[in-house]
Amino acid sequence: MSILESPKTFSFSNVKFVKEAHLLRQMPTDIGAEIAFAGRSNAGKSSIINTLCNRRKLARTSRTPGRTQQFVVYEFGTDRRIIDLPGFGFAKVSKNKRDHWSLEIPRYLEQRRSLVGLILVVDSRHRLKEQELELLGWCKSSDLPTLLLLNKADKLNQKETSSVLRDLGRDVDGLAPGTSVQLFSAKAPLGVDSALGVIAGWFESPETQ
Ligand SMILES: Nc1nc2c(ncn2[C@@H]2O[C@H](COP(=O)(O)OP(=O)(O)OP(=O)(O)O)[C@@H](O)[C@H]2O)c(=O)[nH]1
Ligand SMILES: [Mg+2]
């Protein structure tokens, strides 16, 4: 695990909303490079997109879980995209919707060739749950660069922060070399420059050019 301290090298300039898609085949053409934000409902994915893009109302956020219910596509530069994925693990979403996304999200992750990195957003106040551990395991086995953001760190005191990091080491069965971990707060904000440093590396790697 690395707690990153890299300088800010990158920004999502002129980022704009493009579309919402219900199905993988409705997504923009699979060329260029994109990153996706995954995680449980209410973990703060959409808030983090706003913070990283330095825009208050780009992505819609809500206190009620289950706000993002589509693939939401944002674009910056030429064929560079950010994808906000529907959150998982929210019991009140209808079974139909849950079934749909439990097929469509893995399909997206497995088939999308322009996906250069996944940002898994978790609420740092809770231990990782089965779906989050599964997703981390999948990223490891498929060699997908991953950034684990331990969000809402503004709600932790120093002692709690230490136990979050200790529990993570216990819960995760070895992180892949391509995985970075960052304490984060979309509100404070905290960890922004380090996260942007990791994302810059993904977009700027020779394979992405
Ligand atoms: N204190 C605190 N609250 C946060 C932080 N990030 C997000 N929130 C709050 O958490 C709630 C959920 O945020 P969203 O960004 O809508 O969460 P999401 O993961 O996109 O949720 P879904 O769209 O349902 O999957 C909102 O009330 C946010 O204001 C953070 O870093 N600190
Ligand atoms: Mg959302």
Side-chain angles (χ1 to χ4, degrees), residues 43-209:
K45 300 172 291 300
S46 302
S47 304
I48 290 176
I49 290 174
N50 287 337
T51 299
L52 293 177
C53 293
N54 201 17
R55 293 270 296 273
R56 281 167 51 108
K57 290 190 177 164
L58 180 68
R60 271 177 279 170
T61 64
S62 165
R63 223 173 279 179
T64 319
R67 183 69 187 86
T68 309
Q69 303 243 350
Q70 304 278 309
F71 292 118
V72 187
V73 182
Y74 304 94
E75 192 177 59
F76 64 101
T78 310
D79 297 325
R80 295 279 188 267
R81 292 173 299 274
I82 299 171
I83 313 297
D84 193 2
L85 298 173
F88 48 76
F90 178 47
K92 283 191 188 158
V93 168
S94 72
K95 184 172 179 321
N96 264 357
K97 272 197 185 134
R98 251 183 294 151
D99 289 350
H100 171 74
W101 290 112
S102 70
L103 291 174
E104 210 61 11
I105 294 175
R107 196 173 280 154
Y108 166 81
L109 294 172
E110 277 160 20
Q111 296 182 13
R112 192 77 173 162
R113 290 205 315 264
S114 53
L115 181 66
V116 295
L118 184 76
I119 298 172
L120 174 58
V121 177
V122 303
D123 184 331
S124 59
R125 296 169 298 173
H126 309 302
R127 299 279 284 260
L128 296 194
K129 298 197 175 63
E130 197 182 329
Q131 280 166 306
E132 296 163 327
L133 290 167
E134 242 176 54
L135 193 49
L136 273 179
W138 181 85
C139 291
K140 185 176 180 181
S141 62
S142 46
D143 271 337
L144 180 67
T146 307
L147 172 59
L148 174 61
L149 291 184
L150 309 170
N151 192 34
K152 308 196 184 184
D154 56 289
K155 300 224 179 199
L156 302 174
N157 62 31
Q158 210 169 359
K159 192 162 164 240
E160 288 164 334
T161 303
S162 311
S163 56
V164 163
L165 297 173
R166 192 188 57 229
D167 288 345
L168 183 73
R170 286 184 186 153
D171 292 344
V172 177
D173 181 21
L175 286 169
T179 300
S180 309
V181 179
Q182 178 67 52
L183 276 167
F184 197 89
S185 168
K187 280 260 165 84
L190 175 83
V192 174
D193 288 355
S194 299
L196 287 175
V198 173
I199 294 166
W202 295 345
F203 279 113
E204 286 161 9
S205 90
E207 288 157 38
T208 321
Q209 301 303 308

